[in-house]
Amino acid sequence: MFITLARKYRPQTFEEFVGQSHIVETLKKGIKENKTAYAYLFAGPRGVGKTSMARVFAKALNCEKGPTVSPCNECDICREITAGSCIDVLEIDGASNRGIEEVRNLRENVNLMPSKSRYKIYIIDEVHMLTTEAFNALLKTLEEPPQYVKFIFATTSPEKVLPTILSRCQRFDFRPLSPSEMKRKLKEICEKEMIGIEEKAIDEIVDFSSGSMRDALTILDQLVVYSGNEKITFSMLKELLGLVEEKSIEELLIYLRDGKIKDALELYHDLLKDGKEVSIIVDGIIKKLRNIGIYMIEKEKIDEREREFASKFENLPVEKILDSLTVSLEYKEKIKRESLQVVIVEILLLKLSNILKGEKRYEEVEVKKKEIFEEKEEKEIGMDDVDKNWSKILKKIKERKPTVEACLREGRVERVEDGKIYISFKKKFSFHKSMVERDKNKNIIEKVIYEILGKNFIIIPFIKEESSDGLLKEEIKKIRKFFDIEIMETEEKNGRDF
Ligand SMILES: [Zn+2]
């Protein structure tokens, strides 16, 4: 049986956790002194070991030889917890409907004694996703806890957990793994598994998974399959992740330095056409800028190839590089939150060009920058244009994602104003409306609208209650249409007859 690396190397003891020693020590202390809390909150980014820690902690509490800081991993209870099949350790996914149902049933459940372990332990993952109703059910159990019950909540968004719940928990903040911690662990695993891999590829995996060990191991798993037992190289990884060629990013930065914003934008759009993701392009820019920054402070810290490229920016003051880096990091966050990613990065490129370019080219760039925006903003695009192009827009969306088109098709463009397109949906199509509203889908639609109309629009889907008045008008329209045709046909006939 093929076991994924992420599963195989899931920590089974406290000692196996990387980078969370502050948490491990406190939990161990609690066990040793027999002072454990009734509810815990494990907060932190994805893939850093929150639920693994919850399981190990559950084992520590329930191990037949426990409570102990080193659960045996051999007794029935330990083994069942590892397999996720222990009847007294319930894992609930707060993000799923079933999870919400399970929380609802909690109140009756908690009153039943554990069947064979010391404690009944509820591990609720992504607890912030629970509905208000489920939250309330949970709160009630938290008010009068039976002694044999423990709760471990895990969340990636602690700010969304109700304060009334937070106040009842002992909180632990997990931190993303540092690059060196990740690198050490990955190397160790590759050695154990006899996976041949280039150092540069490991560095890139570490970089790409930004602190999530699970993500890193998932990539490594894919690479093992992809490489077919050959040594894993950096270029394999690049292909697998769809990374942008370094040369392209370098070219882009040179254009920006020279104030050749038009060329930069063209290259950027070529990369998009090649299927590169906006976020990966921005990551590439950040990495290069960082290297240039390091070069300016300590040349020896980067490798020769990077040094050669960075030297092309030697004449710039270091502040410009730092400013560029700051702006790029800001925009990296921006594209995570906002729609119209493609345009946001266009703006980033303009800003970078403004910062990086030599002063004398300033005016030239200003003019070009103006041209680019005015071209797009100048023409007034109204309801007529949207109407005229709507079927074209639908068609293009269909090419990208047919389900989105199928949903959007049920809507009707009601009006266009202030850069917004209002699209109404009949009540029976509320599902279709909700699909259109999803960030990902909305992005696709807005991107296509931009491509076809040359202007940015935000779409506003809404439910339009059909008033009886409206229905009547619709009906009359239909009847009139019907009779118009009838009349026309009669006239035609008459015309022919006479
Ligand atoms: Zn045990």
Side-chain angles (χ1 to χ4, degrees):
M1 195 180 71
F2 176 72
I3 303 175
T4 62
L5 291 171
R7 230 182 100 194
K8 191 168 175 185
Y9 288 94
R10 191 174 193 175
Q12 303 297 347
T13 63
F14 283 123
E15 284 66 36
E16 283 169 31
F17 285 92
V18 182
Q20 316 296 350
S21 54
H22 57 302
I23 295 169
V24 166
E25 288 318 310
T26 315
L27 286 177
K28 274 179 158 179
K29 195 164 174 262
I31 296 164
K32 272 188 213 153
E33 295 173 1
N34 198 18
K35 275 185 205 152
T36 47
Y38 165 64
Y40 293 87
L41 183 77
F42 289 178
R46 53 188 295 267
V48 295
K50 297 187 298 296
T51 46
S52 300
M53 187 75 83
R55 281 190 183 188
V56 172
F57 188 48
K59 277 190 256 185
L61 291 172
N62 275 352
C63 174
E64 283 172 15
K65 291 161 198 150
T68 167
V69 292
S70 26
C72 72
N73 274 316
E74 276 166 9
C75 69
D76 284 350
I77 291 178
C78 278
R79 288 219 309 261
E80 282 170 13
I81 294 175
T82 304
S85 63
C86 182
I87 191 165
D88 295 319
V89 178
L90 285 104
E91 283 190 40
I92 298 173
D93 177 9
S96 79
N97 281 326
R98 227 186 97 239
I100 291 163
E101 193 60 44
E102 282 168 331
V103 171
R104 247 182 244 145
N105 298 332
L106 258 182
R107 281 197 77 192
E108 292 102 66
N109 265 322
V110 286
N111 293 320
L112 303 171
M113 298 276 286
S115 56
K116 55 179 184 179
S117 324
R118 227 164 273 118
Y119 294 100
K120 196 158 191 168
I121 298 168
Y122 293 91
I123 300 172
I124 305 183
D125 199 12
E126 295 301 4
V127 68
H128 66 276
M129 299 280 281
L130 290 178
T131 57
T132 319
E133 191 198 343
F135 254 129
N136 287 335
L138 193 56
L139 259 181
K140 285 194 180 119
T141 50
L142 285 170
E143 269 159 21
E144 314 152 32
Q147 287 220 317
Y148 50 80
V149 169
K150 300 265 175 217
F151 282 100
I152 305 171
F153 306 126
T155 181
T156 47
S157 308
E159 73 285 354
K160 288 185 192 151
V161 178
L162 290 183
T164 37
I165 300 232
L166 281 179
S167 66
R168 288 171 167 80
C169 296
Q170 183 173 2
R171 175 172 170 169
F172 290 101
D173 287 287
F174 285 62
R175 59 177 189 79
L177 274 62
S178 75
S180 62
E181 284 164 347
M182 295 236 330
K183 196 173 169 180
R184 207 180 318 128
K185 188 80 190 165
L186 282 176
K187 273 186 156 174
E188 191 188 303
I189 290 174
C190 286
E191 257 165 50
K192 266 195 204 150
E193 297 288 320
M194 308 221 274
I195 298 169
I197 183 165
E198 279 179 10
E199 181 100 8
K200 203 173 170 201
I202 292 192
D203 288 339
E204 187 62 45
I205 296 175
V206 169
D207 215 54
F208 194 82
S209 28
S210 38
S212 163
M213 199 62 205
R214 187 170 62 218
D215 285 357
L217 290 178
T218 306
I219 296 170
L220 191 58
D221 255 328
Q222 287 173 334
L223 276 170
V224 170
V225 177
Y226 191 77
S227 66
N229 279 335
E230 294 207 10
K231 185 172 180 174
I232 296 168
T233 61
F234 178 64
S235 64
M236 282 179 197
L237 177 66
K238 225 163 44 182
E239 258 172 65
L240 185 81
L241 298 180
L243 296 182
V244 184
E245 289 291 332
E246 272 179 63
K247 270 202 186 126
S248 308
I249 300 291
E250 289 175 358
E251 207 179 332
L252 195 63
L253 283 170
I254 295 285
Y255 283 146
L256 295 176
R257 181 200 66 182
D258 294 347
K260 293 181 178 163
I261 187 68
K262 212 175 148 210
D263 292 327
L265 288 176
E266 255 170 39
L267 175 57
Y268 165 61
H269 280 279
D270 284 346
L271 290 172
L272 293 179
K273 265 184 228 144
D274 270 359
K276 304 297 179 200
E277 296 227 9
V278 171
S279 60
I280 290 188
I281 297 174
V282 175
D283 278 346
I285 293 174
I286 290 172
K287 228 173 119 182
K288 281 284 158 203
L289 286 170
R290 207 183 72 198
N291 279 337
I292 298 172
I294 296 172
Y295 172 86
M296 287 176 163
I297 297 157
E298 213 173 340
K299 283 191 177 62
E300 293 69 36
K301 281 239 163 153
I302 53 172
D303 69 37
E304 205 175 318
R305 200 190 160 281
E306 290 293 336
R307 240 180 282 161
E308 197 198 317
F309 173 70
S311 69
K312 295 177 180 164
F313 290 77
E314 221 159 18
N315 296 332
L316 294 180
V318 69
E319 288 76 31
K320 285 198 172 201
I321 299 301
L322 296 181
D323 285 351
S324 304
L325 199 50
T326 313
V327 174
S328 304
L329 287 168
E330 259 168 42
Y331 273 69
K332 182 186 158 102
E333 285 306 307
K334 238 183 200 162
I335 55 175
K336 272 190 216 155
R337 289 194 312 265
E338 288 170 38
S339 51
L340 299 169
Q341 297 179 337
V342 172
V343 188
I344 288 178
V345 175
E346 280 178 359
I347 298 169
L348 169 65
L349 295 180
L350 288 169
K351 286 202 165 195
L352 288 180
S353 159
N354 242 336
I355 299 170
L356 291 173
K357 68 182 181 326
E359 291 308 327
K360 57 184 172 207
R361 291 192 179 87
Y362 186 77
E363 276 167 54
E364 193 189 327
V365 179
E366 278 302 294
V367 173
K368 274 191 180 142
K369 182 173 146 190
K370 246 178 146 179
E371 271 172 16
I372 287 164
F373 276 111
E374 274 171 8
E375 225 174 89
K376 282 170 191 165
E377 300 294 342
E378 235 174 352
K379 30 177 182 164
E380 199 46 58
I381 293 173
M383 182 73 185
D384 277 354
D385 305 280
V386 176
D387 254 351
K388 236 186 280 160
N389 286 295
W390 197 244
S391 56
K392 216 162 133 191
I393 291 169
L394 286 176
K395 200 178 148 213
K396 202 155 183 191
I397 292 170
K398 197 173 179 179
E399 285 165 17
R400 306 244 168 113
K401 208 172 165 193
T403 47
V404 175
E405 189 266 347
C407 291
L408 187 60
R409 212 191 311 144
E410 299 303 342
R412 224 178 72 184
V413 177
E414 289 284 337
R415 56 179 211 281
V416 178
E417 59 185 40
D418 292 340
K420 298 187 184 84
I421 298 177
Y422 294 83
I423 303 168
S424 71
F425 287 81
K426 288 186 184 154
K427 205 165 177 206
K428 64 175 173 183
F429 292 123
S430 8
F431 168 75
H432 299 72
K433 176 203 160 234
S434 69
M435 285 292 285
V436 167
E437 262 170 339
R438 288 194 185 173
D439 279 352
K440 241 188 185 163
N441 297 338
K442 214 169 154 235
N443 272 346
I444 295 175
I445 297 168
E446 287 172 348
K447 219 185 267 181
V448 168
I449 291 175
Y450 172 77
E451 282 166 18
I452 290 187
L453 298 176
K455 187 180 167 181
N456 292 317
F457 280 102
I458 294 168
I459 55 160
I460 315 261
F462 66 101
I463 296 288
K464 192 178 182 188
E465 295 284 350
E466 282 293 324
S467 64
S468 53
D469 224 34
L471 278 178
L472 198 64
K473 265 186 203 156
E474 197 69 26
E475 216 38 48
I476 291 170
K477 226 169 155 184
K478 268 189 207 156
I479 294 167
R480 278 197 53 183
K481 207 172 171 192
F482 178 75
F483 278 111
D484 276 352
I485 294 164
E486 282 284 278
I487 292 162
M488 259 164 49
E489 274 177 0
T490 328
E491 274 174 359
E492 239 174 78
K493 260 185 217 151
N494 288 349
R496 232 178 273 138
D497 279 348
F498 291 100

PDB file of all heavy atoms in Angstrom, residues 59-60 62-66 68 70-79, ligand 1:
ATOM      1  N   LYS A  59      -3.459  10.938  22.954  1.00  0.00           N
ATOM      2  CA  LYS A  59      -2.789   9.688  23.325  1.00  0.00           C
ATOM      3  C   LYS A  59      -2.132   9.803  24.694  1.00  0.00           C
ATOM      4  O   LYS A  59      -2.212   8.901  25.517  1.00  0.00           O
ATOM      5  CB  LYS A  59      -1.716   9.334  22.277  1.00  0.00           C
ATOM      6  CG  LYS A  59      -2.286   8.629  21.065  1.00  0.00           C
ATOM      7  CD  LYS A  59      -1.183   8.084  20.195  1.00  0.00           C
ATOM      8  CE  LYS A  59      -1.008   8.951  18.982  1.00  0.00           C
ATOM      9  NZ  LYS A  59      -0.024   8.418  18.030  1.00  0.00           N
ATOM     10  N   ALA A  60      -1.479  10.955  24.900  1.00  0.00           N
ATOM     11  CA  ALA A  60      -0.805  11.171  26.181  1.00  0.00           C
ATOM     12  C   ALA A  60      -1.795  11.052  27.338  1.00  0.00           C
ATOM     13  O   ALA A  60      -1.488  10.487  28.384  1.00  0.00           O
ATOM     14  CB  ALA A  60      -0.138  12.546  26.195  1.00  0.00           C
ATOM     15  N   ASN A  62      -4.804   9.445  27.237  1.00  0.00           N
ATOM     16  CA  ASN A  62      -5.586   8.206  27.281  1.00  0.00           C
ATOM     17  C   ASN A  62      -4.784   6.914  27.212  1.00  0.00           C
ATOM     18  O   ASN A  62      -5.337   5.834  27.394  1.00  0.00           O
ATOM     19  CB  ASN A  62      -6.609   8.197  26.137  1.00  0.00           C
ATOM     20  CG  ASN A  62      -7.886   8.933  26.516  1.00  0.00           C
ATOM     21  OD1 ASN A  62      -8.051   9.318  27.664  1.00  0.00           O
ATOM     22  ND2 ASN A  62      -8.773   9.108  25.568  1.00  0.00           N
ATOM     23  N   CYS A  63      -3.500   6.995  26.906  1.00  0.00           N
ATOM     24  CA  CYS A  63      -2.667   5.781  26.772  1.00  0.00           C
ATOM     25  C   CYS A  63      -2.891   4.865  27.981  1.00  0.00           C
ATOM     26  O   CYS A  63      -3.009   5.335  29.116  1.00  0.00           O
ATOM     27  CB  CYS A  63      -1.194   6.175  26.673  1.00  0.00           C
ATOM     28  SG  CYS A  63      -0.065   4.758  26.686  1.00  0.00           S
ATOM     29  N   GLU A  64      -2.949   3.576  27.713  1.00  0.00           N
ATOM     30  CA  GLU A  64      -3.184   2.620  28.800  1.00  0.00           C
ATOM     31  C   GLU A  64      -2.119   2.748  29.870  1.00  0.00           C
ATOM     32  O   GLU A  64      -2.337   2.431  31.030  1.00  0.00           O
ATOM     33  CB  GLU A  64      -3.218   1.188  28.236  1.00  0.00           C
ATOM     34  CG  GLU A  64      -4.535   0.896  27.535  1.00  0.00           C
ATOM     35  CD  GLU A  64      -4.526  -0.430  26.792  1.00  0.00           C
ATOM     36  OE1 GLU A  64      -3.622  -1.257  27.025  1.00  0.00           O
ATOM     37  OE2 GLU A  64      -5.441  -0.622  25.957  1.00  0.00           O
ATOM     38  N   LYS A  65      -0.918   3.198  29.472  1.00  0.00           N
ATOM     39  CA  LYS A  65       0.162   3.359  30.445  1.00  0.00           C
ATOM     40  C   LYS A  65       0.260   4.796  30.950  1.00  0.00           C
ATOM     41  O   LYS A  65       1.273   5.179  31.515  1.00  0.00           O
ATOM     42  CB  LYS A  65       1.491   2.921  29.826  1.00  0.00           C
ATOM     43  CG  LYS A  65       1.549   1.437  29.598  1.00  0.00           C
ATOM     44  CD  LYS A  65       2.619   1.065  28.590  1.00  0.00           C
ATOM     45  CE  LYS A  65       2.344  -0.339  28.087  1.00  0.00           C
ATOM     46  NZ  LYS A  65       2.795  -0.557  26.714  1.00  0.00           N
ATOM     47  N   GLY A  66      -0.775   5.581  30.686  1.00  0.00           N
ATOM     48  CA  GLY A  66      -0.714   6.998  30.986  1.00  0.00           C
ATOM     49  C   GLY A  66      -1.571   7.391  32.168  1.00  0.00           C
ATOM     50  O   GLY A  66      -1.980   6.517  32.913  1.00  0.00           O
ATOM     51  N   THR A  68       0.686  10.134  30.366  1.00  0.00           N
ATOM     52  CA  THR A  68       2.135  10.153  30.255  1.00  0.00           C
ATOM     53  C   THR A  68       2.584  11.116  29.172  1.00  0.00           C
ATOM     54  O   THR A  68       1.869  11.330  28.196  1.00  0.00           O
ATOM     55  CB  THR A  68       2.657   8.740  29.905  1.00  0.00           C
ATOM     56  OG1 THR A  68       4.017   8.842  29.500  1.00  0.00           O
ATOM     57  CG2 THR A  68       1.885   8.119  28.760  1.00  0.00           C
ATOM     58  N   SER A  70       5.061  10.496  27.347  1.00  0.00           N
ATOM     59  CA  SER A  70       5.491   9.693  26.193  1.00  0.00           C
ATOM     60  C   SER A  70       4.571   8.500  25.998  1.00  0.00           C
ATOM     61  O   SER A  70       4.848   7.411  26.489  1.00  0.00           O
ATOM     62  CB  SER A  70       6.944   9.257  26.327  1.00  0.00           C
ATOM     63  OG  SER A  70       7.318   9.205  27.690  1.00  0.00           O
ATOM     64  N   PRO A  71       3.442   8.740  25.311  1.00  0.00           N
ATOM     65  CA  PRO A  71       2.497   7.659  25.063  1.00  0.00           C
ATOM     66  C   PRO A  71       3.180   6.508  24.313  1.00  0.00           C
ATOM     67  O   PRO A  71       4.097   6.743  23.523  1.00  0.00           O
ATOM     68  CB  PRO A  71       1.419   8.311  24.187  1.00  0.00           C
ATOM     69  CG  PRO A  71       1.996   9.588  23.681  1.00  0.00           C
ATOM     70  CD  PRO A  71       3.016  10.005  24.682  1.00  0.00           C
ATOM     71  N   CYS A  72       2.737   5.270  24.593  1.00  0.00           N
ATOM     72  CA  CYS A  72       3.483   4.107  24.113  1.00  0.00           C
ATOM     73  C   CYS A  72       3.324   3.847  22.624  1.00  0.00           C
ATOM     74  O   CYS A  72       4.174   3.224  22.008  1.00  0.00           O
ATOM     75  CB  CYS A  72       3.059   2.872  24.899  1.00  0.00           C
ATOM     76  SG  CYS A  72       1.402   2.295  24.458  1.00  0.00           S
ATOM     77  N   ASN A  73       2.241   4.340  22.038  1.00  0.00           N
ATOM     78  CA  ASN A  73       1.959   4.103  20.618  1.00  0.00           C
ATOM     79  C   ASN A  73       1.778   2.626  20.283  1.00  0.00           C
ATOM     80  O   ASN A  73       1.792   2.238  19.118  1.00  0.00           O
ATOM     81  CB  ASN A  73       3.062   4.691  19.720  1.00  0.00           C
ATOM     82  CG  ASN A  73       2.785   6.151  19.413  1.00  0.00           C
ATOM     83  OD1 ASN A  73       1.639   6.521  19.109  1.00  0.00           O
ATOM     84  ND2 ASN A  73       3.786   6.988  19.520  1.00  0.00           N
ATOM     85  N   GLU A  74       1.631   1.791  21.322  1.00  0.00           N
ATOM     86  CA  GLU A  74       1.511   0.357  21.076  1.00  0.00           C
ATOM     87  C   GLU A  74       0.222  -0.226  21.631  1.00  0.00           C
ATOM     88  O   GLU A  74      -0.314  -1.188  21.095  1.00  0.00           O
ATOM     89  CB  GLU A  74       2.707  -0.381  21.699  1.00  0.00           C
ATOM     90  CG  GLU A  74       3.911  -0.380  20.780  1.00  0.00           C
ATOM     91  CD  GLU A  74       5.183  -0.789  21.497  1.00  0.00           C
ATOM     92  OE1 GLU A  74       5.111  -1.233  22.662  1.00  0.00           O
ATOM     93  OE2 GLU A  74       6.259  -0.642  20.873  1.00  0.00           O
ATOM     94  N   CYS A  75      -0.272   0.363  22.726  1.00  0.00           N
ATOM     95  CA  CYS A  75      -1.504  -0.179  23.301  1.00  0.00           C
ATOM     96  C   CYS A  75      -2.674   0.039  22.344  1.00  0.00           C
ATOM     97  O   CYS A  75      -2.565   0.794  21.378  1.00  0.00           O
ATOM     98  CB  CYS A  75      -1.783   0.478  24.647  1.00  0.00           C
ATOM     99  SG  CYS A  75      -2.225   2.218  24.520  1.00  0.00           S
ATOM    100  N   ASP A  76      -3.782  -0.653  22.607  1.00  0.00           N
ATOM    101  CA  ASP A  76      -4.949  -0.555  21.723  1.00  0.00           C
ATOM    102  C   ASP A  76      -5.395   0.890  21.536  1.00  0.00           C
ATOM    103  O   ASP A  76      -5.667   1.333  20.427  1.00  0.00           O
ATOM    104  CB  ASP A  76      -6.118  -1.367  22.301  1.00  0.00           C
ATOM    105  CG  ASP A  76      -5.902  -2.858  22.073  1.00  0.00           C
ATOM    106  OD1 ASP A  76      -4.956  -3.184  21.308  1.00  0.00           O
ATOM    107  OD2 ASP A  76      -6.652  -3.670  22.639  1.00  0.00           O
ATOM    108  N   ILE A  77      -5.451   1.586  22.674  1.00  0.00           N
ATOM    109  CA  ILE A  77      -5.978   2.952  22.600  1.00  0.00           C
ATOM    110  C   ILE A  77      -5.078   3.845  21.755  1.00  0.00           C
ATOM    111  O   ILE A  77      -5.537   4.554  20.864  1.00  0.00           O
ATOM    112  CB  ILE A  77      -6.169   3.529  24.027  1.00  0.00           C
ATOM    113  CG1 ILE A  77      -7.321   2.759  24.706  1.00  0.00           C
ATOM    114  CG2 ILE A  77      -6.484   5.010  23.976  1.00  0.00           C
ATOM    115  CD1 ILE A  77      -7.612   3.149  26.128  1.00  0.00           C
ATOM    116  N   CYS A  78      -3.764   3.783  21.997  1.00  0.00           N
ATOM    117  CA  CYS A  78      -2.833   4.586  21.188  1.00  0.00           C
ATOM    118  C   CYS A  78      -2.997   4.268  19.706  1.00  0.00           C
ATOM    119  O   CYS A  78      -3.073   5.165  18.868  1.00  0.00           O
ATOM    120  CB  CYS A  78      -1.384   4.314  21.599  1.00  0.00           C
ATOM    121  SG  CYS A  78      -0.862   5.251  23.055  1.00  0.00           S
ATOM    122  N   ARG A  79      -3.056   2.974  19.423  1.00  0.00           N
ATOM    123  CA  ARG A  79      -3.134   2.579  18.010  1.00  0.00           C
ATOM    124  C   ARG A  79      -4.441   3.044  17.369  1.00  0.00           C
ATOM    125  O   ARG A  79      -4.455   3.494  16.234  1.00  0.00           O
ATOM    126  CB  ARG A  79      -2.984   1.051  17.888  1.00  0.00           C
ATOM    127  CG  ARG A  79      -1.560   0.577  18.160  1.00  0.00           C
ATOM    128  CD  ARG A  79      -1.130  -0.545  17.225  1.00  0.00           C
ATOM    129  NE  ARG A  79      -2.115  -1.622  17.195  1.00  0.00           N
ATOM    130  CZ  ARG A  79      -2.000  -2.758  17.896  1.00  0.00           C
ATOM    131  NH1 ARG A  79      -0.950  -2.955  18.647  1.00  0.00           N
ATOM    132  NH2 ARG A  79      -2.926  -3.681  17.825  1.00  0.00           N
TER     133      ARG A  79
HETATM  134 ZN    ZN B   1      -0.468   3.644  24.682  1.00  0.00          ZN
END
